[in-house]
Amino acid sequence: MTVPPARPALPLRDELVGIEPYGAPQLDVPYALNVNENPYAPSPEVVADIAHDVAAAAAGLNRYPDRDFLALRQDLAAYLRVESGVELAPGQLWAANGSNEVMLHLLQAFGGPGRTALSFAPTYSMYPEYARDTFTGWVAGRRDEDFGLDPDVAVATIAATAPTVVLLASPNNPTGTALALATVKVVLDAAAAVPGGCVVVVDEAYGEFRRAGTPSALELLADHPHLAVSRTMSKAFGLAGARVGYLAAATELIDALRVVRLPYHLSAVTQAVARAALRHAPALMAQIGSLRAERDALVTWLRERGLRVADSDANFVLFGMFDDRHGIWQGLLDRGVLIRETGPDGWLRVSVGTPQETAAFKDALVEVAGL
């Protein structure tokens, strides 16, 4: 029997050899609380409005979409005016297929060979992948034991690494921790001293879930032209399946992103979905209050059972400590509850679900952990 010749190896980049694609487990379970989705689907009214606008967009799908999507940017500016009390011009907004693509645009424009992106761990595990994919160096500083950021540590790390991009998640993923604006200002001042310039990105993917009194970094935009604040419609709007992320910054920074984006990157259908959803922002935001209350009650419940819980301004809770966190994770999964095994050793993260989903998680955790 003739043995076929071996196929030549693909010329894969060395740093990608053996790397598994990013992604949380996608399992068919009764209670999926692992990827911080909004547990509430869009209402029938929102669905009908989206369907109407998508049908209208479909009639023109033989044409390319508006590549600068000015109408969507106007709608986003109007939304942020109400949500955060910040006045922005449409030219200060940018959007893409999820905040992942927004971040990629930022690293394409301001990262690259010989440049460095800096963040402070533990933080979002995709950040180093954005750096890798754009040939940008990656440095991870450290957060405090309570997952906050010491301003002195931030200043020293920026001075030592001279990054061109600093990524600050606030609320942070996977910890849920929000940064004080005073800390962000210290970082901005330190970044302003970096030779050649440095862009500071505050990733507010979970910004709408922040507790009362926690401000948005959007309030700092007017005085800091090297600041960018990113958001998403995946979480608060319950549109994870639509893939719409966006960013606010000075027009000069936005224009730099327009250079690196692929032509017509945001489809006409995506634009229609986002604009329809934004018209329903008041009703969609009304759900946020119940999710905040569910989160705060869950934090209290976990602490009352002797567990450590990170303060959360997001729609998830990081809790521990467990000698065998994988065993706890598996025990919950065996009972139909999928959470996330992420963050520092000994910690687990659970998304805030409906009251029924949260009750199922509590019951399973009591049984598995012996609480």
Side-chain angles (χ1 to χ4, degrees), residues 158-159 161-164 189-198:
I158 291 169
T161 58
T164 55
D189 290 343
V194 173
C198 175

Side-chain angles (χ1 to χ4, degrees), residues 251-291:
T251 53
E252 294 83 359
L253 195 154
I254 298 297
D255 286 344
L257 304 185
R258 294 173 62 221
V259 173
V260 299
R261 63 98 170 97
L262 294 173
Y264 312 109
H265 72 284
L266 206 60
S267 77
V269 170
T270 300
Q271 294 179 43
V273 170
R275 296 194 66 204
L278 285 163
R279 289 200 299 274
H280 293 269
L284 291 166
M285 292 305 103
Q287 297 175 338
I288 301 304
S290 64
L291 288 170

Side-chain angles (χ1 to χ4, degrees), residues 112-315:
R115 297 184 169 201
T116 299
L118 167 68
S119 192
F120 297 88
T123 194
Y124 186 35
S125 57
M126 276 297 295
Y127 290 161
E129 297 199 19
Y130 302 143
R132 178 201 67 198
D133 293 346
T134 57
F135 301 95
T136 305
W138 172 251
V139 173
R142 298 302 305 174
R143 287 177 173 255
D144 296 337
E145 285 296 316
D146 65 356
F147 306 124
L149 180 59
D150 185 321
D152 292 336
V153 170
V155 169
T157 307
I158 291 169
T161 58
T164 55
V165 180
V166 176
L167 298 167
L168 301 176
S170 180
N172 186 41
N173 182 6
T175 67
T177 319
L179 293 175
L181 287 194
T183 302
V184 178
K185 289 179 182 178
V186 169
V187 171
L188 285 164
D189 290 343
V194 173
C198 175
V199 170
V200 176
V201 183
V202 179
D203 182 354
E204 292 188 347
Y206 302 92
E208 284 90 346
F209 297 99
R210 64 192 187 275
R211 290 171 290 180
T214 302
S216 167
L218 290 165
E219 297 178 16
L220 304 177
L221 281 175
D223 298 323
H224 296 279
H226 286 195
L227 170 65
V229 182
S230 68
R231 291 282 187 95
T232 182
M233 297 184 73
S234 295
K235 312 300 182 182
F237 280 83
L239 289 180
R243 309 308 302 130
V244 183
Y246 60 100
L247 175 145
T251 53
E252 294 83 359
L253 195 154
I254 298 297
D255 286 344
L257 304 185
R258 294 173 62 221
V259 173
V260 299
R261 63 98 170 97
L262 294 173
Y264 312 109
H265 72 284
L266 206 60
S267 77
V269 170
T270 300
Q271 294 179 43
V273 170
R275 296 194 66 204
L278 285 163
R279 289 200 299 274
H280 293 269
L284 291 166
M285 292 305 103
Q287 297 175 338
I288 301 304
S290 64
L291 288 170
R292 286 192 193 116
E294 191 75 19
R295 172 201 64 207
D296 293 342
L298 179 57
V299 168
T300 299
W301 183 89
L302 289 166
R303 286 175 174 165
E304 287 174 347
R305 277 144 189 83
L307 295 171
R308 287 184 62 186
V309 186
D311 290 335
S312 179
D313 280 273
N315 69 333

